[in-house]
Amino acid sequence: MPDRGRPDGAADAYFPKHGDPRYHVHRYELALEYRPEPNRLAGSARIGAVAGAQRLPEFALDLADFRIGKVLVDGRAARYTHRAGKLRVRPATPVAASSAFTVEVHYTGNPKPINSPWGGVGWEELTDGSLVASQPIGASSWYPCNDRPGDKASYQISITAPSVYAVVVSGRLLTHSTRSSNSTWVYEQSAPTASYLVSVSIGRYDSIRAIDAYTSIPQTAYVPARLLPNFRTDFARQAQMMTVFEELFGPYPFGEYTVVVTDDELDVPIEAQGMATFGANHVDGVRGSERLVAHELAHQWFGNSVGLADWRHIWLNEGFARYAEWLWSERSGGMTIVEHARVQHAELAELPQDLVLAWPGRRLLFDDRVYARGALSVYALHRALGDAAFFRMLRDWTTANRHGTVTTADFTAHAGRYAPHSLDDLFGAWLYRGPLPPLPR
Protein backbone atom coordinates (compact mmCIF):
# COMPACT_ATOMS: atom_id res chain seq x y z
CA MET A 1 0.00 0.00 0.00
CA PRO A 2 1.28 3.52 -0.72
CA ASP A 3 2.37 5.73 2.17
CA ARG A 4 -0.25 8.46 2.58
CA GLY A 5 1.57 10.34 5.31
CA ARG A 6 2.10 8.20 8.38
CA PRO A 7 3.04 9.98 11.61
CA ASP A 8 6.33 9.27 13.37
CA GLY A 9 8.31 9.70 10.17
CA ALA A 10 11.65 11.46 9.99
CA ALA A 11 12.00 15.18 9.41
CA ASP A 12 12.53 16.19 5.79
CA ALA A 13 16.17 15.85 4.80
CA TYR A 14 16.39 19.29 3.19
CA PHE A 15 13.86 21.24 5.29
CA PRO A 16 14.06 19.71 8.77
CA LYS A 17 12.50 22.78 10.41
CA HIS A 18 9.32 22.49 8.33
CA GLY A 19 6.51 20.24 9.45
CA ASP A 20 6.09 18.07 12.51
CA PRO A 21 6.48 14.32 11.87
CA ARG A 22 4.84 13.37 15.20
CA TYR A 23 1.33 13.58 13.77
CA HIS A 24 -0.53 13.24 10.46
CA VAL A 25 -3.17 15.63 9.11
CA HIS A 26 -6.04 13.98 7.28
CA ARG A 27 -8.31 17.03 6.70
CA TYR A 28 -8.08 20.82 6.34
CA GLU A 29 -11.16 23.03 6.28
CA LEU A 30 -10.31 26.66 5.51
CA ALA A 31 -12.82 29.53 5.61
CA LEU A 32 -11.12 32.69 4.35
CA GLU A 33 -11.98 36.23 3.36
CA TYR A 34 -9.63 38.13 1.07
CA ARG A 35 -9.47 41.83 0.17
CA PRO A 36 -7.17 42.42 -2.82
CA GLU A 37 -6.75 46.18 -2.40
CA PRO A 38 -5.16 46.05 1.06
CA ASN A 39 -4.01 42.44 0.47
CA ARG A 40 -5.83 41.39 3.63
CA LEU A 41 -6.56 37.78 4.53
CA ALA A 42 -8.70 36.70 7.47
CA GLY A 43 -10.22 33.41 8.39
CA SER A 44 -10.09 30.17 10.25
CA ALA A 45 -8.52 26.78 9.70
CA ARG A 46 -10.00 23.60 11.14
CA ILE A 47 -7.48 20.78 11.00
CA GLY A 48 -8.23 17.11 11.66
CA ALA A 49 -5.17 15.08 12.61
CA VAL A 50 -3.97 11.85 14.24
CA ALA A 51 -1.12 11.59 16.72
CA GLY A 52 1.69 9.14 16.24
CA ALA A 53 3.01 6.53 18.65
CA GLN A 54 3.81 9.08 21.35
CA ARG A 55 1.41 11.34 23.21
CA LEU A 56 1.60 15.03 22.32
CA PRO A 57 1.87 17.47 25.20
CA GLU A 58 2.60 20.01 22.45
CA PHE A 59 2.87 20.05 18.65
CA ALA A 60 3.72 22.52 15.91
CA LEU A 61 2.10 23.97 12.80
CA ASP A 62 3.84 26.03 10.15
CA LEU A 63 2.35 29.52 9.83
CA ALA A 64 3.85 32.79 8.64
CA ASP A 65 3.56 36.20 10.29
CA PHE A 66 -0.19 36.48 10.97
CA ARG A 67 -1.96 37.79 14.03
CA ILE A 68 -3.54 34.89 15.92
CA GLY A 69 -7.04 35.36 17.30
CA LYS A 70 -7.44 32.06 19.10
CA VAL A 71 -6.33 28.45 18.99
CA LEU A 72 -8.55 25.56 20.06
CA VAL A 73 -7.72 21.88 20.40
CA ASP A 74 -10.77 19.62 20.48
CA GLY A 75 -12.89 22.68 21.19
CA ARG A 76 -10.88 23.86 24.20
CA ALA A 77 -8.63 26.91 24.33
CA ALA A 78 -4.97 26.00 23.99
CA ARG A 79 -1.81 27.87 24.93
CA TYR A 80 0.49 28.73 22.05
CA THR A 81 3.57 30.61 20.94
CA HIS A 82 4.08 31.96 17.44
CA ARG A 83 7.61 32.82 16.34
CA ALA A 84 9.79 32.38 13.27
CA GLY A 85 7.07 30.71 11.19
CA LYS A 86 6.14 28.14 13.87
CA LEU A 87 2.87 28.03 15.76
CA ARG A 88 3.61 25.83 18.77
CA VAL A 89 0.44 24.60 20.44
CA ARG A 90 0.07 23.21 23.97
CA PRO A 91 -3.38 21.63 24.44
CA ALA A 92 -5.18 21.85 27.76
CA THR A 93 -4.83 18.06 27.88
CA PRO A 94 -2.06 16.23 26.01
CA VAL A 95 -3.20 14.36 22.92
CA ALA A 96 -3.03 10.63 23.58
CA ALA A 97 -0.87 8.44 21.37
CA SER A 98 -2.60 7.30 18.17
CA SER A 99 -5.60 9.53 18.93
CA ALA A 100 -7.52 11.76 16.56
CA PHE A 101 -7.65 15.44 17.44
CA THR A 102 -8.87 18.71 15.93
CA VAL A 103 -7.08 22.06 15.87
CA GLU A 104 -8.82 25.33 15.08
CA VAL A 105 -6.81 28.47 14.32
CA HIS A 106 -8.26 31.95 13.72
CA TYR A 107 -5.87 34.41 12.11
CA THR A 108 -5.62 37.67 10.14
CA GLY A 109 -2.89 39.51 8.29
CA ASN A 110 -1.25 40.45 5.02
CA PRO A 111 -0.04 37.33 3.22
CA LYS A 112 3.30 37.56 1.48
CA PRO A 113 5.84 35.15 0.00
CA ILE A 114 8.18 33.25 2.29
CA ASN A 115 11.87 33.72 1.67
CA SER A 116 13.65 30.72 0.23
CA PRO A 117 16.90 30.01 -1.68
CA TRP A 118 14.78 30.25 -4.87
CA GLY A 119 13.15 33.57 -4.06
CA GLY A 120 9.78 34.22 -2.47
CA VAL A 121 7.32 31.30 -2.47
CA GLY A 122 3.69 31.14 -1.41
CA TRP A 123 0.99 33.83 -1.58
CA GLU A 124 1.93 36.51 -4.10
CA GLU A 125 0.16 39.69 -5.15
CA LEU A 126 -0.37 40.27 -8.87
CA THR A 127 -1.08 43.53 -10.67
CA ASP A 128 -4.76 42.87 -10.07
CA GLY A 129 -5.36 39.84 -7.87
CA SER A 130 -3.13 37.18 -6.38
CA LEU A 131 -1.90 33.63 -6.73
CA VAL A 132 -0.26 30.91 -4.66
CA ALA A 133 2.96 29.19 -5.74
CA SER A 134 4.09 27.21 -2.69
CA GLN A 135 6.74 24.79 -3.90
CA PRO A 136 8.58 23.80 -1.79
CA ILE A 137 7.94 25.59 1.55
CA GLY A 138 5.39 28.35 0.85
CA ALA A 139 2.10 26.82 2.03
CA SER A 140 2.37 28.44 5.46
CA SER A 141 2.32 31.86 3.79
CA TRP A 142 -1.49 31.65 3.80
CA TYR A 143 -2.72 28.87 6.09
CA PRO A 144 -1.49 26.88 9.12
CA CYS A 145 -0.30 23.48 8.03
CA ASN A 146 1.99 20.55 8.63
CA ASP A 147 4.21 21.56 5.73
CA ARG A 148 5.79 18.25 4.77
CA PRO A 149 5.50 16.81 1.22
CA GLY A 150 4.72 13.36 2.60
CA ASP A 151 1.81 14.49 4.81
CA LYS A 152 -1.17 14.43 2.46
CA ALA A 153 -4.69 15.44 3.43
CA SER A 154 -8.08 16.27 1.94
CA TYR A 155 -9.21 19.91 1.75
CA GLN A 156 -12.33 22.02 1.74
CA ILE A 157 -11.58 25.68 1.06
CA SER A 158 -14.06 28.55 1.15
CA ILE A 159 -12.85 31.97 -0.01
CA THR A 160 -14.90 35.15 -0.05
CA ALA A 161 -13.67 38.00 -2.26
CA PRO A 162 -15.12 40.95 -4.20
CA SER A 163 -17.48 39.69 -6.89
CA VAL A 164 -15.50 41.25 -9.76
CA TYR A 165 -12.89 38.55 -9.18
CA ALA A 166 -12.96 34.87 -9.99
CA VAL A 167 -11.53 32.67 -7.24
CA VAL A 168 -9.93 29.45 -8.45
CA VAL A 169 -8.71 26.75 -6.05
CA SER A 170 -7.23 23.35 -6.82
CA GLY A 171 -10.20 21.02 -6.47
CA ARG A 172 -13.85 20.67 -7.45
CA LEU A 173 -16.07 23.74 -7.24
CA LEU A 174 -18.95 22.91 -4.89
CA THR A 175 -20.78 26.23 -4.69
CA HIS A 176 -20.45 29.81 -5.90
CA SER A 177 -22.76 32.32 -4.27
CA THR A 178 -22.98 36.11 -4.40
CA ARG A 179 -24.24 38.43 -1.70
CA SER A 180 -24.07 42.17 -2.21
CA SER A 181 -20.64 42.97 -3.69
CA ASN A 182 -18.92 39.79 -2.48
CA SER A 183 -18.87 36.22 -3.72
CA THR A 184 -18.01 33.04 -1.87
CA TRP A 185 -16.40 30.14 -3.68
CA VAL A 186 -16.25 26.72 -2.01
CA TYR A 187 -13.96 24.00 -3.33
CA GLU A 188 -13.37 20.40 -2.29
CA GLN A 189 -10.22 18.39 -2.93
CA SER A 190 -11.06 14.91 -1.70
CA ALA A 191 -7.87 13.25 -2.94
CA PRO A 192 -4.95 13.30 -0.49
CA THR A 193 -2.92 16.43 -1.27
CA ALA A 194 0.48 17.71 -0.14
CA SER A 195 0.38 21.17 1.44
CA TYR A 196 2.60 22.72 -1.25
CA LEU A 197 0.24 21.50 -3.99
CA VAL A 198 -2.79 23.51 -2.83
CA SER A 199 -3.09 26.60 -5.01
CA VAL A 200 -5.30 29.68 -5.22
CA SER A 201 -5.64 32.15 -8.08
CA ILE A 202 -7.74 35.31 -7.78
CA GLY A 203 -8.22 37.57 -10.80
CA ARG A 204 -10.52 38.97 -13.45
CA TYR A 205 -10.97 35.85 -15.53
CA ASP A 206 -13.44 34.48 -18.02
CA SER A 207 -14.33 30.85 -17.38
CA ILE A 208 -14.47 28.45 -20.32
CA ARG A 209 -14.63 24.71 -20.73
CA ALA A 210 -11.45 23.48 -22.35
CA ILE A 211 -11.72 21.53 -25.59
CA ASP A 212 -12.70 18.02 -24.50
CA ALA A 213 -13.45 16.08 -27.66
CA TYR A 214 -10.96 13.35 -26.71
CA THR A 215 -11.68 12.76 -23.03
CA SER A 216 -14.45 12.77 -20.43
CA ILE A 217 -12.31 14.50 -17.78
CA PRO A 218 -13.79 17.96 -17.07
CA GLN A 219 -11.23 20.55 -18.14
CA THR A 220 -11.90 24.17 -17.26
CA ALA A 221 -9.85 27.29 -17.94
CA TYR A 222 -9.83 30.74 -16.34
CA VAL A 223 -8.32 33.26 -18.72
CA PRO A 224 -8.27 37.08 -19.08
CA ALA A 225 -10.58 38.12 -21.92
CA ARG A 226 -7.75 39.68 -23.93
CA LEU A 227 -5.83 36.37 -24.00
CA LEU A 228 -8.70 34.09 -25.03
CA PRO A 229 -7.90 34.01 -28.77
CA ASN A 230 -4.30 32.96 -28.13
CA PHE A 231 -5.33 30.54 -25.40
CA ARG A 232 -7.66 28.68 -27.76
CA THR A 233 -4.69 27.99 -30.03
CA ASP A 234 -2.05 27.30 -27.40
CA PHE A 235 -4.19 24.89 -25.35
CA ALA A 236 -6.18 23.38 -28.22
CA ARG A 237 -4.39 20.03 -27.90
CA GLN A 238 -4.50 19.72 -24.11
CA ALA A 239 -7.46 17.32 -24.22
CA GLN A 240 -5.60 15.18 -26.74
CA MET A 241 -2.59 15.21 -24.40
CA MET A 242 -4.86 13.93 -21.65
CA THR A 243 -5.88 10.99 -23.82
CA VAL A 244 -2.26 10.16 -24.72
CA PHE A 245 -1.11 10.37 -21.11
CA GLU A 246 -3.98 8.20 -19.90
CA GLU A 247 -2.92 5.60 -22.45
CA LEU A 248 0.73 5.76 -21.38
CA PHE A 249 0.47 6.45 -17.63
CA GLY A 250 -2.93 5.06 -16.66
CA PRO A 251 -6.23 6.77 -15.78
CA TYR A 252 -6.12 10.45 -14.87
CA PRO A 253 -5.93 10.37 -11.05
CA PHE A 254 -8.30 13.25 -10.19
CA GLY A 255 -11.85 14.31 -10.94
CA GLU A 256 -11.07 17.42 -12.96
CA TYR A 257 -8.25 19.52 -14.41
CA THR A 258 -8.14 23.30 -14.26
CA VAL A 259 -5.86 25.77 -16.03
CA VAL A 260 -5.44 29.42 -15.06
CA VAL A 261 -3.68 32.01 -17.20
CA THR A 262 -2.77 35.15 -15.26
CA ASP A 263 -2.66 38.62 -16.78
CA ASP A 264 0.90 38.92 -15.42
CA GLU A 265 4.02 37.18 -16.68
CA LEU A 266 5.42 34.25 -14.69
CA ASP A 267 8.93 32.83 -14.81
CA VAL A 268 7.57 29.29 -14.93
CA PRO A 269 4.10 27.73 -14.70
CA ILE A 270 2.85 26.74 -11.25
CA GLU A 271 2.14 23.11 -10.51
CA ALA A 272 -0.78 22.25 -8.22
CA GLN A 273 -2.98 19.21 -7.66
CA GLY A 274 -5.60 19.10 -10.39
CA MET A 275 -4.57 22.58 -11.53
CA ALA A 276 -1.82 24.50 -13.29
CA THR A 277 -1.24 28.26 -13.55
CA PHE A 278 0.48 29.87 -16.53
CA GLY A 279 1.61 33.43 -17.14
CA ALA A 280 0.50 35.69 -19.97
CA ASN A 281 3.96 35.12 -21.48
CA HIS A 282 3.12 31.42 -21.94
CA VAL A 283 0.23 32.25 -24.28
CA ASP A 284 1.57 33.48 -27.61
CA GLY A 285 -0.92 32.06 -30.12
CA VAL A 286 1.65 29.81 -31.83
CA ARG A 287 1.97 27.02 -29.24
CA GLY A 288 5.36 28.32 -28.19
CA SER A 289 4.94 26.89 -24.68
CA GLU A 290 3.15 23.65 -25.52
CA ARG A 291 5.89 21.58 -23.93
CA LEU A 292 5.05 23.31 -20.63
CA VAL A 293 1.37 22.45 -21.09
CA ALA A 294 2.44 18.81 -21.36
CA HIS A 295 4.85 19.12 -18.44
CA GLU A 296 2.26 20.49 -16.01
CA LEU A 297 -0.36 17.97 -17.08
CA ALA A 298 2.10 15.10 -16.57
CA HIS A 299 2.70 16.28 -13.01
CA GLN A 300 -0.84 15.18 -12.15
CA TRP A 301 0.47 11.60 -12.30
CA PHE A 302 4.10 12.24 -11.33
CA GLY A 303 4.37 14.58 -8.38
CA ASN A 304 0.73 15.05 -7.41
CA SER A 305 -0.96 11.66 -7.29
CA VAL A 306 2.34 9.83 -6.84
CA GLY A 307 3.98 12.26 -4.45
CA LEU A 308 7.29 12.63 -2.68
CA ALA A 309 7.99 11.23 0.75
CA ASP A 310 10.91 13.65 1.00
CA TRP A 311 12.30 16.48 -1.13
CA ARG A 312 15.50 14.58 -1.94
CA HIS A 313 13.45 12.49 -4.42
CA ILE A 314 12.47 15.49 -6.57
CA TRP A 315 13.76 13.83 -9.75
CA LEU A 316 10.78 11.46 -9.61
CA ASN A 317 8.57 14.50 -10.21
CA GLU A 318 10.61 16.50 -12.65
CA GLY A 319 12.37 13.76 -14.59
CA PHE A 320 9.09 12.10 -15.55
CA ALA A 321 7.40 15.42 -16.34
CA ARG A 322 10.28 16.37 -18.66
CA TYR A 323 10.16 12.93 -20.26
CA ALA A 324 6.42 13.39 -20.81
CA GLU A 325 7.28 16.49 -22.86
CA TRP A 326 9.34 14.26 -25.16
CA LEU A 327 6.63 11.62 -25.35
CA TRP A 328 4.07 14.24 -26.36
CA SER A 329 6.46 15.79 -28.88
CA GLU A 330 6.90 12.46 -30.66
CA ARG A 331 3.19 11.63 -30.55
CA SER A 332 2.22 15.04 -31.95
CA GLY A 333 4.64 14.97 -34.88
CA GLY A 334 7.51 16.95 -33.36
CA MET A 335 11.01 15.84 -32.39
CA THR A 336 11.30 12.18 -31.47
CA ILE A 337 12.26 10.93 -28.03
CA VAL A 338 15.65 9.87 -29.35
CA GLU A 339 16.29 13.32 -30.81
CA HIS A 340 15.33 15.00 -27.55
CA ALA A 341 17.61 12.65 -25.60
CA ARG A 342 20.57 13.36 -27.88
CA VAL A 343 20.12 17.13 -27.56
CA GLN A 344 19.67 16.96 -23.79
CA HIS A 345 22.67 14.67 -23.32
CA ALA A 346 24.92 16.93 -25.37
CA GLU A 347 23.84 19.95 -23.32
CA LEU A 348 24.41 18.16 -20.01
CA ALA A 349 27.85 16.99 -21.11
CA GLU A 350 28.95 20.64 -21.24
CA LEU A 351 27.85 21.35 -17.66
CA PRO A 352 29.50 20.54 -14.30
CA GLN A 353 29.24 16.88 -13.30
CA ASP A 354 28.69 17.52 -9.58
CA LEU A 355 25.03 16.54 -9.31
CA VAL A 356 23.97 13.17 -7.88
CA LEU A 357 20.38 12.76 -9.01
CA ALA A 358 19.14 10.69 -6.07
CA TRP A 359 20.64 13.22 -3.64
CA PRO A 360 20.95 16.60 -5.40
CA GLY A 361 21.23 18.57 -2.18
CA ARG A 362 19.09 21.49 -1.15
CA ARG A 363 21.04 24.03 -3.21
CA LEU A 364 20.49 22.14 -6.48
CA LEU A 365 16.94 21.01 -5.78
CA PHE A 366 15.48 22.90 -8.77
CA ASP A 367 18.59 23.00 -10.93
CA ASP A 368 17.67 22.26 -14.55
CA ARG A 369 20.11 19.36 -14.47
CA VAL A 370 17.69 17.57 -12.12
CA TYR A 371 15.02 17.86 -14.81
CA ALA A 372 17.33 16.99 -17.70
CA ARG A 373 19.25 14.14 -16.09
CA GLY A 374 16.02 12.88 -14.59
CA ALA A 375 14.48 12.64 -18.06
CA LEU A 376 17.60 10.95 -19.43
CA SER A 377 17.48 8.42 -16.58
CA VAL A 378 13.90 7.61 -17.55
CA TYR A 379 15.03 7.35 -21.18
CA ALA A 380 17.81 4.92 -20.20
CA LEU A 381 15.29 2.79 -18.33
CA HIS A 382 12.89 2.94 -21.29
CA ARG A 383 15.63 1.67 -23.62
CA ALA A 384 16.56 -1.10 -21.19
CA LEU A 385 13.00 -2.37 -20.76
CA GLY A 386 11.51 -1.76 -24.20
CA ASP A 387 8.15 -0.16 -24.90
CA ALA A 388 5.82 -2.89 -23.66
CA ALA A 389 7.52 -3.53 -20.31
CA PHE A 390 8.32 0.16 -19.73
CA PHE A 391 4.77 1.44 -20.11
CA ARG A 392 3.35 -1.53 -18.22
CA MET A 393 5.78 -0.67 -15.43
CA LEU A 394 4.67 3.01 -15.47
CA ARG A 395 0.96 2.21 -15.40
CA ASP A 396 1.47 -0.24 -12.54
CA TRP A 397 3.56 2.37 -10.68
CA THR A 398 0.89 5.07 -10.89
CA THR A 399 -1.83 2.57 -9.95
CA ALA A 400 -0.05 1.01 -6.98
CA ASN A 401 0.98 4.39 -5.58
CA ARG A 402 -2.13 6.40 -6.48
CA HIS A 403 -2.47 9.27 -3.97
CA GLY A 404 0.53 7.96 -2.01
CA THR A 405 4.13 8.99 -1.43
CA VAL A 406 7.27 7.29 -2.67
CA THR A 407 11.06 7.30 -2.61
CA THR A 408 13.77 6.61 -5.17
CA ALA A 409 14.33 3.20 -3.59
CA ASP A 410 10.63 2.40 -4.03
CA PHE A 411 10.89 3.20 -7.72
CA THR A 412 14.08 1.27 -8.44
CA ALA A 413 12.67 -1.79 -6.67
CA HIS A 414 9.45 -1.51 -8.67
CA ALA A 415 11.19 -1.05 -12.02
CA GLY A 416 13.49 -3.99 -11.34
CA ARG A 417 10.54 -6.36 -11.39
CA TYR A 418 9.96 -5.62 -15.09
CA ALA A 419 13.53 -6.21 -16.28
CA PRO A 420 14.94 -9.53 -17.54
CA HIS A 421 18.26 -8.68 -15.86
CA SER A 422 19.55 -6.57 -13.00
CA LEU A 423 19.18 -2.79 -13.30
CA ASP A 424 21.72 -2.08 -10.57
CA ASP A 425 24.39 -0.81 -12.97
CA LEU A 426 21.92 1.42 -14.83
CA PHE A 427 20.53 3.02 -11.68
CA GLY A 428 23.96 3.22 -10.08
CA ALA A 429 25.34 5.21 -13.02
CA TRP A 430 22.35 7.51 -13.59
CA LEU A 431 21.05 8.05 -10.06
CA TYR A 432 23.88 7.54 -7.59
CA ARG A 433 27.04 8.82 -9.30
CA GLY A 434 27.95 12.25 -10.61
CA PRO A 435 29.62 11.71 -14.01
CA LEU A 436 27.18 11.66 -16.93
CA PRO A 437 26.89 8.11 -18.36
CA PRO A 438 27.00 7.54 -22.12
CA LEU A 439 23.67 7.92 -23.90
CA PRO A 440 22.04 4.47 -24.36
CA ARG A 441 21.69 3.33 -27.94
Side-chain angles (χ1 to χ4, degrees), residues 166-245:
V167 176
V168 190
V169 178
S170 43
R172 179 169 61 94
L173 180 61
L174 296 182
T175 63
H176 172 211
S177 57
T178 299
R179 183 175 181 180
S180 185
S181 60
N182 294 319
S183 292
T184 299
W185 305 67
V186 182
Y187 287 84
E188 175 76 23
Q189 177 57 269
S190 57
T193 308
S195 51
Y196 82 94
L197 289 171
V198 182
S199 189
V200 176
S201 191
I202 300 173
R204 299 176 190 261
Y205 301 127
D206 286 357
S207 170
I208 60 171
R209 180 61 60 95
I211 299 169
D212 58 0
Y214 298 94
T215 178
S216 61
I217 303 297
Q219 299 180 55
T220 305
Y222 292 85
V223 185
R226 72 177 183 89
L227 297 175
L228 280 172
N230 283 356
F231 172 84
R232 293 185 187 280
T233 297
D234 293 324
F235 285 77
R237 301 200 289 187
Q238 179 180 275
Q240 189 177 352
M241 282 181 196
M242 180 75 80
T243 298
V244 170
F245 288 171

Side-chain angles (χ1 to χ4, degrees), residues 23-46:
Y23 68 93
H24 161 56
V25 176
H26 60 81
R27 176 77 168 174
Y28 291 91
E29 294 178 354
L30 308 179
L32 309 175
E33 183 173 336
Y34 182 63
R35 298 294 169 198
E37 287 284 336
N39 184 40
R40 188 74 173 171
L41 186 67
S44 65
R46 183 178 174 85

Side-chain angles (χ1 to χ4, degrees), residues 215-217 242-255 297-298 300-302 305-306 394-400 402-403:
T215 178
S216 61
I217 303 297
M242 180 75 80
T243 298
V244 170
F245 288 171
E246 283 197 305
E247 173 196 334
L248 299 179
F249 309 148
Y252 179 71
F254 306 110
L297 180 57
Q300 304 310 317
W301 287 265
F302 305 105
S305 176
V306 183
L394 276 193
R395 289 188 292 270
D396 290 348
W397 172 250
T398 62
T399 299
R402 183 181 175 92
H403 304 322

